[in-house]
Amino acid sequence: MTYLTSEPPSPVRSLDELLAIAYALEHEAAENYAAFAEKTRQEGLPKLADLFETLAAEERHHEHYVQAWSKQHSGKTPDPAEIRWDLPETFDLAGGRELASSRLATAYRILAVAVQNEDRAFALWSYIAAHAEAGAIREAAETMARQELQHAWDLRRARRQAYHAEGLGKTSPAGAKTLAGLRQIELRLAQDLERAAAGARGEVAQELQRLAQESRQSAGQLTGVQPVEDTANGMSDILTIAERLAEDYLDISDHSSNETEIGQAQALAERAVLRLAQLRALGKALPGG
């Protein structure tokens, strides 16, 4: 999973501040992708330039959405002055520049960086939502997180297509992941969450129990999958196991050639990514936190 390079030092206090953050992130991404498009076109790589321009257009669409939301809310466009702290880095500027200057760049590599950017944005909005002190701020941040997650799914789909189009999926790499074995890991996570819930109180205990039940539901969807050895052995804490599941589901959805398996992995990956964000938000309330 892709995480933030730093975390916000304080909660977002108003919807105006939240929308200013959203606009700044979308504007930065749109400008950077547009610059990469110009660079690759100058380098004589029109197909890659077209891809960067498509990414820039998507970010501009999100930018306009945030502008419209702000005008509806306050009658004005987002104001950068509302942002009280430096934004965490959600856009891999160095990685994008390297690809825009490389003769070896491919659509798959570009889309891989784009997916990472969306994952970072999702992580930021999940963090903001988890630490929001007002319900309206939490709901707005969750809306932004869902949009980033959906955009990441769209990019992953495009990345998978590029992966196969470029011949990267013709042979299965050694140790390629399948859904086999993830049922045991889900059950291991459910058991650890239940133990943690038994030792917690109040809302934390309820949340841990809810997540444990969710893990059992995910395991239940894998009952028809051939079991293998429990590969969760050696993973000693809840966050590590939850991260492993999210990574494995995403990896399968990206690289499998079985459409049924891809669909199942994508659905489970979405649940696992959200679960991981919720667990990370609990922080020190978790055992060993």
Side-chain angles (χ1 to χ4, degrees):
M1 293 298 299
T2 303
Y3 297 120
L4 297 174
T5 55
S6 62
E7 295 177 343
S10 62
V12 172
R13 294 176 179 170
S14 69
L15 186 56
D16 285 336
E17 182 181 11
L18 183 144
L19 292 171
I21 292 170
Y23 181 81
L25 296 177
E26 305 295 355
H27 182 73
E28 177 192 36
E31 291 293 301
N32 285 331
Y33 283 135
F36 298 157
E38 182 178 357
K39 173 66 174 176
T40 49
R41 202 168 294 284
Q42 290 173 351
E43 294 290 334
L45 303 169
K47 290 184 178 180
L48 298 186
D50 289 344
L51 176 55
F52 276 126
E53 286 178 353
T54 297
L55 293 171
E58 285 289 331
E59 298 298 343
R60 289 193 189 98
H61 175 73
H62 297 165
E63 186 180 343
H64 294 156
Y65 168 81
V66 174
Q67 284 181 316
W69 188 354
S70 181
K71 288 180 180 178
Q72 182 181 20
H73 166 67
S74 62
K76 62 181 183 180
T77 57
D79 182 1
E82 296 283 351
I83 305 174
R84 294 173 296 109
W85 26 259
D86 292 336
L87 296 178
E89 185 178 304
T90 60
F91 192 96
D92 185 0
L93 187 58
R97 283 174 175 165
E98 180 181 352
L99 289 174
S101 301
S102 174
R103 306 298 296 186
L104 300 177
T106 64
Y108 175 78
R109 291 178 63 195
I110 290 171
L111 289 166
V113 170
V115 167
Q116 175 180 275
N117 294 340
E118 296 301 324
D119 283 347
R120 285 182 177 176
F122 170 77
L124 174 59
W125 290 119
S126 296
Y127 185 94
I128 290 173
H131 292 80
E133 297 172 349
I137 303 302
R138 183 180 306 108
E139 290 176 6
E142 288 173 348
T143 295
M144 296 305 302
R146 284 193 296 270
Q147 290 186 359
E148 298 295 353
L149 188 60
Q150 182 59 55
H151 195 198
W153 289 137
D154 293 340
L155 288 171
R156 281 190 166 88
R157 188 179 303 112
R159 183 178 67 175
R160 188 174 69 251
Q161 292 171 349
Y163 178 83
H164 292 291
E166 293 168 18
L168 300 175
K170 289 182 178 178
T171 57
S172 297
K177 298 181 181 68
T178 70
L179 288 176
L182 297 192
R183 178 173 183 269
Q184 285 88 334
I185 303 179
E186 286 283 7
L187 290 173
R188 161 74 182 279
L189 179 59
Q191 292 168 358
D192 287 356
L193 287 168
E194 287 164 350
R195 282 194 288 267
R201 296 180 179 179
E203 292 182 0
V204 172
Q206 293 175 6
E207 178 70 355
L208 289 170
Q209 188 61 46
R210 184 187 68 79
L211 292 172
Q213 183 179 4
E214 187 179 274
S215 287
R216 289 196 178 278
Q217 290 173 347
S218 293
Q221 294 180 30
L222 297 171
T223 53
V225 176
Q226 180 65 34
V228 296
E229 181 182 354
D230 181 2
T231 54
N233 288 332
M235 289 186 275
S236 59
D237 64 90
I238 287 171
L239 281 176
T240 300
I241 298 172
E243 180 180 349
R244 165 65 183 276
L245 282 164
E247 287 278 9
D248 284 357
Y249 288 135
L250 288 170
D251 190 62
I252 292 167
S253 69
D254 282 345
H255 300 115
S256 176
S257 58
N258 183 315
E259 289 300 323
T260 300
E261 184 178 61
I262 289 169
Q264 188 176 18
Q266 286 179 333
L268 290 166
E270 181 172 358
R271 180 182 293 178
V273 169
L274 288 170
R275 176 178 59 201
L276 182 58
Q278 290 157 347
L279 286 169
R280 293 185 75 232
L282 289 175
K284 294 183 179 179
L286 289 175

